[in-house]
Amino acid sequence: MKTLKKTLFAGAAAAALFAASPVLAACELKIGVVGGLSGATAQWGLALKGAAEYLAAEANAAGGGGLKVGNELCKISTIAVDSKATAEGAAAAANQLVSQNVKFILGPVVTPEATGIKPIALRNKLLVFQNSFAKDAIGPRWPLVFHEGPGPSVWADSIVKVAKTKFNIKSVVLVAPNDQGGTDITSVDIEAYKANGIEASEEFYQRGNPNFAAVVARVLAKNPDTVDTSSTAPGDAGVLVKQLRQAGFTGTIGRLGGPATDEILRVAGGPDVLKNFYWYENVPLEDPNIRAIADDYKKLMGTAPPENTMLYLWVGVGRLLFQAISNAGTITDTEKVAEVLRKLPINDKNLGKGRWTGKSFFGIQQEVSFPFGIGLIVDGKVQPILRAEVPEVD
Amino acid sequence: MTGFVSAGLIGISLGAQYALLALGFTLIFGILGVVNFAHGGFYVLGGYAAYSCVAFLGMPYPLAVIVAMFATGALGYVFELFVVERVVDDHLATLMLTLGLYLMIGTGVQAVFGPESPQFSFPITGTLRFGGFYIPLENLVVLAVCLVAIGAVYFLMYRTDLGRGLRALADNRAVAATQGLRPKLLFPLAFALSCGLAGLTGALVTPILSLGPLVGEPVLAMAFLTVILGGFGSIVGATVAAFLVGLIEAYSVVYLGGSKGALALFVLVLIVLIVKPSGLFGKEARGA
């Protein structure tokens, strides 16, 4: 009788424990990663891929070994597909991920990719977190597409103000590819320059053109005191800067586009070549709390983090997405996850407090905006990244 | 006027790069009848070979360029001998094989060196200025090497027994073979020469522009365009067309804008092909 009581008690205790704590089941949360992992935009794609793998490792190492979703612990895996920074590449990548039952996608990064992935996301109810700077990066037509921000509508004005004061800018020519990835962002940037009393115009080139000599000649004919490399791919921007300097351009160089300073420095030949340079930086990198991500990455992944600072932003939005999945208690119902996500406060343990933006610019409040950075090189010396809070644009 | 002359100088610089590339591309077609889709891959390999020699072996850059040229040439020789030679008369097969090789080269280079551009700079910096015009010194070096290479190829093809043999094979393989010429010996040599030229271009041009596993794609497209314009298989045509393409690109970009520059080139090629389907210097049909 005593033995029976003991057995019953042990059984009841085990059942109670079973009910109270999540269990390791065969639950697998697959996160798709879509980005240009090769070619001129590889630096951005690799930062995204690195962030996704780090996020998975972080979640898998925490707690009981996975993300708590309802009553289950879900092991997170990532599937990365190279979209080669093209619309058709991103669409093909998304379709491939759909065939593998992927419901959540981090990426893509550039506008042509975003254009390619949105219809697939809409048709298959994929929850996509992408980074494009297009004017229609997100919108009410794509309720499950979120934006890793902030985009230029949020930060361009703040950076132009700092650059104008620092370098006494009076005229600028923006150089960008002649697709939506270039035309959209330059139109937003130009508005910001003009609003600050700076004469601004644009020059476009065919994406994939490795030689800017003729474009440079055209730019210099306008005699600007500043050239903004806008959303040129990192590798291309380095060539553009090098050829500008070879042509005798001594003015300021700017970059109100995706940050690529390391690659520009490498290809162009160092800070002395850039001399006076300003750029949008994804995060205020001087913050030790943000830098801690890099240390943790090294510890967890056993290798150095990807070079591009886009890594940090992807980590921030990835954690937010995981939180929403966990709170919604589902790894299949993306609409439910999106609903939870929209209401989540933005307060990352490393990136700090952010805001939901996008209502006034995109017509939908689905842009995650963390504090950003303003990078400066003055007289060939790299300055500490300035911190900029997200302005109240919405 | 300053802008006009500057655009002309840019066009000549571009033309020199395109000529180096197109020369090898057209040689292969002229002699073997093979459209070498791996040409851009050998350009990439030339760049990485020179970069490796400088960065890892500490070689002086000029020596690295020579090593890169011979290394890519040797690889081309082996590829022709063991792969292309077996199906050399099957245009579709050679097209697929060379395309496959290009993909393998791109993927292989990416696996070894990673997708980002390494730091690979031309050792000579500075810009030559006179009045309102300018030309970077590195472009002058490329132009000089290009002229030497064109001269060497002309000498080889028109003043040596090897060149005569290659031209005889290009003209009529069956008749040439009855005269004792051996395609299996000469074809790999021609392929090596072509790939060596692509490697030389890659070693010279990538430190001026940028080096990456996929930089061969636009280069291949431009070489293809040049060779079509000049006339497939014509060395003179490829050279003239390369400078023509460079000049048109420079002038159209400077005066019409970056987007319309590319369009102007394709419109020109279309017009030429409508008026003269064999290209500027092409023959109506190959004899091989």
Side-chain angles (χ1 to χ4, degrees), chain A residues 55-126:
Chain A
L55 284 161
E58 185 185 54
N60 290 338
L67 182 72
K68 187 187 166 197
V69 182
N71 200 32
E72 287 184 306
L73 271 175
C74 293
K75 198 169 166 55
I76 299 176
S77 61
T78 60
I79 306 171
V81 187
D82 185 2
S83 62
K84 295 188 188 291
T86 62
E88 66 274 20
N95 277 321
Q96 189 183 326
L97 291 169
V98 168
S99 72
Q100 295 179 64
N101 294 321
V102 170
K103 291 281 181 188
F104 304 93
I105 292 178
L106 289 177
V109 180
V110 298
T111 296
E113 295 170 307
T115 304
I117 205 169
K118 280 186 291 192
I120 316 294
L122 190 66
R123 199 178 309 138
N124 296 283
K125 291 191 177 176
L126 299 173

Side-chain angles (χ1 to χ4, degrees), chain B residues 79-156:
Chain B
F79 182 65
E80 204 289 333
L81 190 64
F82 292 107
V83 184
V84 175
E85 189 58 41
R86 293 163 192 270
V87 288
V88 74
D89 291 325
D90 184 340
H91 292 304
L92 202 58
T94 52
L95 196 142
M96 293 310 294
L97 276 173
T98 53
L99 186 63
L101 179 66
Y102 174 72
L103 295 174
M104 282 168 66
I105 289 173
T107 311
V109 165
Q110 187 161 317
V112 175
F113 294 95
E116 291 169 303
S117 299
Q119 187 156 17
F120 185 35
S121 306
F122 205 82
I124 301 168
T125 53
T127 304
L128 196 64
R129 294 182 195 284
F130 38 99
F133 320 124
Y134 69 91
I135 184 161
L137 291 174
E138 51 202 36
N139 288 25
L140 280 179
V141 173
V142 173
L143 183 60
V145 173
C146 170
L147 294 176
V148 169
I150 292 168
V153 170
Y154 273 99
F155 182 79
L156 180 81

Side-chain angles (χ1 to χ4, degrees), chain A residues 37-39 42-43 46 178 204-206 208 210-211 213-215 217-218 239 242-243 245-248 263 266-267 307, chain B residues 10 14 17 110 115-119 127 129 134 136 138 207-210 214 218 249-250 253-259 262:
Chain A
L37 305 178
S38 58
Q43 211 193 39
L46 292 176
N178 62 353
F204 295 113
Y205 66 93
Q206 188 77 28
N211 199 326
V215 175
R218 194 174 159 83
V239 178
K242 188 160 65 171
Q243 293 189 321
R245 292 304 189 213
Q246 279 175 342
E263 183 131 352
R266 198 164 50 229
V267 176
E307 197 174 62
Chain B
I10 290 166
L14 290 171
Q17 294 169 19
Q110 187 161 317
E116 291 169 303
S117 299
Q119 187 156 17
T127 304
R129 294 182 195 284
Y134 69 91
E138 51 202 36
I208 294 175
L209 300 177
S210 67
L214 302 181
E249 185 181 339
V253 169
V254 169
Y255 288 106
L256 301 174
S259 301

